[in-house]
Amino acid sequence: MQAAIDEALAGRAEGGIPIGAVLVHDGDIIGRGHNRRVQMGSAIRHGETDALENAGRHPASVYRDSVMYTTLSPCSMCTGAILLYGIGEVVVGENRTFMGEEALLAERGVSVTVLDDETCVAMMREFIEAEPALWNEDIGED
């Protein structure tokens, strides 16, 4: 999880949204990323999708045997990507500031663990307080 937190901090330092993710296969990080919507002017570059993009192409078996670590509960879009690639396990830093689609992941057989990590909670609370309009844009709210 620390690598995902490091990614989130990097994103915030770049002026973006502090959400990070890493994709781990057999104990090795094969993809890492952070929310780059602001930096890239992207509508879809969330932490999880950035980590998947940076992981590159792999056989389906690699994704099935991988774990996605993410600092924040995955939104609908990121949940869809996790399900599409058959990632079997997701470790979530926190879901107090935003509850994503954890129930859907679990319903579809994905193992979901929520760490309720204070660093992740504090990072998001500080960001949401400082940048409410940007946060609402990121989660598709006015």
Side-chain angles (χ1 to χ4, degrees):
M1 182 55 69
Q2 187 57 54
I5 292 170
D6 293 344
E7 285 292 325
L9 292 170
R12 187 65 180 132
E14 295 167 357
I17 299 164
I19 303 169
V22 294
L23 187 64
V24 176
H25 180 259
D26 286 339
D28 294 321
I29 296 173
I30 61 170
R32 57 188 321 131
H34 51 270
N35 187 305
R36 294 179 197 262
R37 291 186 67 250
V38 172
Q39 300 91 313
M40 297 179 77
S42 171
I44 62 168
R45 211 58 176 266
H46 283 190
E48 298 90 338
T49 56
D50 194 47
L52 284 166
E53 176 68 19
N54 292 328
R57 294 174 56 197
H58 293 280
S61 60
V62 170
Y63 294 109
R64 277 194 307 271
D65 294 335
S66 292
V67 179
M68 177 70 76
Y69 290 83
T70 180
T71 58
L72 188 65
S73 184
C75 72
S76 299
M77 177 178 66
C78 294
T79 292
I82 289 164
L83 293 173
L84 177 67
Y85 287 97
I87 297 167
E89 184 177 357
V90 176
V91 179
V92 176
E94 69 102 350
N95 61 8
R96 283 193 250 165
T97 60
F98 178 80
M99 173 59 81
E101 300 293 338
E102 295 168 28
L104 177 59
L105 289 168
E107 181 181 300
R108 296 283 297 272
V110 178
S111 170
V112 178
T113 302
V114 179
L115 301 178
D116 199 28
D117 182 271
E118 286 298 330
T119 299
C120 294
V121 173
M123 196 166 36
M124 285 309 300
R125 283 190 174 151
E126 290 167 10
F127 171 75
I128 292 167
E129 184 176 316
E131 302 272 2
L134 185 54
W135 171 240
N136 285 336
E137 176 190 326
D138 194 61
I139 59 172
E141 294 184 8
D142 289 323

